[in-house]
Amino acid sequence: MQTTGWSRGLEVSGGGQGVVSHAGLVLLRHLADKTGLTGGLSRALATPRFLVHDRGRVMADLACAVADGARVISDFRVMRDQRELFGLVASVPTAWRTLAEIARGGARADRRITAAVNTARRHAWAQVAARHGALPGVRLADRTLDGVTCIRLDATVTFAHSDKELAEANFKGYGHHPLIGVCDNTGGEPLAWMLRRGSAGSNTAADHLAITDAAIAAIPPQFRRKLMVTCDGAGASHALVKHLDTLAARRGYELTYSVGWALTEREKAALRLVPEQAWQAAIDGRGEVRERRADEACADAGCAHRACWIEEAHVTELTGLLRHSAGGDQLRAWPAAMRVFARRERPHPGAQLTLFEAGDGWRYSLWATNRPASTKGWLGQAAYIDAAHRVQARVEDAIRTGKDAGLGHFPSFDFGINVAWLTAAMTGQILLAWLKLLALDGDLAKAEPKTLRYRVLHSAARLVRGGRKRRLKIQATWPWAEAITAAWQRIDALPQAP
């Protein structure tokens, strides 16, 4: 067998012409232009000085480069080095100067950039609704919650491997502690973000209130009427719940929240009083009861014998036990509409349990929501109220993929420049979310950034000139060539934003 025969007769030279790498990057750049993002950034960063490179164009290109996989500012050359395709692109020093100018602009520059991104989002979401018939719903187990826009909040630690301004020791190591809010409907699209010092608290109320308000403001007005806001137990606080309750009370608006809840002695006492029959079976991501075969089950693996199956997770409500306890209303300091739920599940092998949990072998987690007890249909069932909170974990997917798209590495010592870099990184993630919703289908519409880069963004092509036109020809044998060309046609057909 000739295992090395593939290289026989192969020569490598540098004389090729018209060959383009990272050809799929034209999709993101064109999308930024068509949605008005580039123009909005140009107006936001306008200056009376004479500049060769428009700062809005530089910022939009930097966002595209980050989405394409750039981890440091010097990776910006991926566009500049292909002038035949992308035209005149700023140099790496100009990209540095752009970020530094944004940093010097402070809060005013941040507000102007945020306004530009939010304006582009209005146009993009209008086209998403036109293509799909409506904004995508929120997936809850085997159901879809339509007509509701869901915001998910979470913080993460980004490690710093060198000395950087405001990088500090924290519970996970050394670095910064950014906080973000994403939209679940559009695949984890960033709505608001905040770069914080490394020692910032996970449940700093002021930060969470600011991100919540900024995320709501980022949503186009027609999609703000019905909202869902979720947060894990680390970020939950009395101030956040009170603020969400105030927002929910606004006339003409509907806001449902679901936040993590601490398991204290008060809740432990209530759990001891819950009768066994009050625990309802929890469901998994497919809407099926979470259960497993018993060790002494019969030989028929598909049987329906109750004794052959062991339910692994249950849900119950603790509101009544806490509101009407022997010591009175233990939730009197909390909003009257708030309800507290508990979930218990069998721990996985090796899991560490508290003394309370070790007593009965169940692992407990609690959350609070203002979902009305009068809610009709499947959404009012405890199992789906639980499912609505457990999918909070999707924000962790957005953070994980975000760390592969600029969030995981800050290039400068200067905190202000790193804040500007975070804005570019989040803008890159926004463009990826819009690309999937507006131009891609099938598996590509669900793909993570790493997959999109291999299949779409990093594809090679040949640039051909003729008839006063430039034609970018994707290799015919590339499995996703048709998807790339279809994506370009869809983006090109979008109405141009003003």
Side-chain angles (χ1 to χ4, degrees), residues 180-213:
I180 68 171
V182 305
C183 179
D184 195 7
N185 305 67
T186 53
E189 172 190 346
L191 296 173
W193 48 88
M194 178 188 299
L195 184 60
R196 306 185 299 166
R197 63 191 316 128
S199 60
S202 297
N203 63 345
T204 303
D207 294 345
H208 281 78
L209 266 58
I211 285 293
T212 300
D213 291 343

Side-chain angles (χ1 to χ4, degrees), residues 104-149:
R104 287 195 298 270
R108 182 175 181 273
D110 289 340
R111 287 194 298 268
R112 292 174 68 89
I113 293 173
T114 299
V117 174
N118 291 347
T119 300
R121 180 179 288 110
R122 294 186 183 187
H123 185 75
W125 281 24
Q127 301 312 309
V128 170
R131 184 188 184 201
H132 298 278
L135 193 70
V138 183
R139 292 180 293 106
L140 305 178
D142 60 332
R143 305 276 187 162
T144 300
L145 182 60
D146 294 315
V148 175
T149 307

Side-chain angles (χ1 to χ4, degrees), residues 341-415:
F341 286 81
R343 178 175 67 252
R344 68 179 187 181
E345 53 191 334
R346 293 297 181 186
H348 58 79
Q352 296 183 351
L353 304 180
T354 65
L355 290 177
F356 174 77
E357 294 171 328
D360 58 8
W362 293 97
R363 188 170 198 169
Y364 293 92
S365 55
L366 283 69
W367 75 99
T369 180
N370 66 335
R371 175 76 62 187
S374 58
T375 303
K376 304 296 183 181
W378 61 270
L379 192 55
Q381 300 174 14
Y384 282 98
I385 295 176
D386 169 49
H389 181 70
R390 278 191 289 113
V391 290
Q392 159 68 14
R394 288 193 196 124
V395 69
E396 298 177 7
D397 289 334
I399 289 174
R400 175 178 53 80
T401 56
K403 288 184 175 181
D404 196 31
L407 178 60
H409 179 265
F410 294 105
S412 175
F413 168 82
D414 185 85
F415 185 78

Side-chain angles (χ1 to χ4, degrees), residues 280-475:
Q280 303 177 37
I283 56 176
D284 58 19
R286 298 171 295 178
E288 300 176 358
V289 174
R290 295 177 59 185
E291 56 186 4
R292 61 175 175 83
R293 295 286 289 174
D295 294 338
E296 59 278 0
C298 67
D300 183 8
C303 75
H305 304 143
R306 184 66 267 164
C308 293
W309 296 92
I310 297 176
E311 294 178 351
E312 291 199 303
H314 302 90
V315 185
T316 193
E317 184 172 0
L318 300 180
T319 310
L321 291 171
L322 293 172
R323 291 284 187 191
H324 308 288
S325 67
D329 185 359
Q330 299 189 57
L331 300 178
R332 66 177 67 91
W334 297 85
M338 190 187 74
R339 303 165 67 192
V340 179
F341 286 81
R343 178 175 67 252
R344 68 179 187 181
E345 53 191 334
R346 293 297 181 186
H348 58 79
Q352 296 183 351
L353 304 180
T354 65
L355 290 177
F356 174 77
E357 294 171 328
D360 58 8
W362 293 97
R363 188 170 198 169
Y364 293 92
S365 55
L366 283 69
W367 75 99
T369 180
N370 66 335
R371 175 76 62 187
S374 58
T375 303
K376 304 296 183 181
W378 61 270
L379 192 55
Q381 300 174 14
Y384 282 98
I385 295 176
D386 169 49
H389 181 70
R390 278 191 289 113
V391 290
Q392 159 68 14
R394 288 193 196 124
V395 69
E396 298 177 7
D397 289 334
I399 289 174
R400 175 178 53 80
T401 56
K403 288 184 175 181
D404 196 31
L407 178 60
H409 179 265
F410 294 105
S412 175
F413 168 82
D414 185 85
F415 185 78
I417 292 179
N418 288 334
V419 169
W421 171 268
L422 177 62
T423 298
M426 294 293 98
T427 306
Q429 277 194 268
I430 291 170
L431 286 172
L432 287 174
W434 294 350
L435 176 67
K436 291 189 287 185
L437 288 167
L438 291 171
L440 300 178
D441 290 314
D443 291 340
L444 288 179
K446 304 175 185 177
E448 294 187 351
K450 185 176 181 180
T451 302
L452 283 178
R453 288 173 192 144
Y454 172 71
R455 298 182 179 181
V456 177
L457 301 181
H458 293 180
S459 57
R462 181 175 294 278
L463 187 63
V464 179
R465 296 177 181 271
R468 297 183 179 180
K469 289 186 177 181
R470 294 180 302 157
R471 293 176 176 84
L472 189 63
K473 296 191 173 184
I474 309 296
Q475 175 64 32

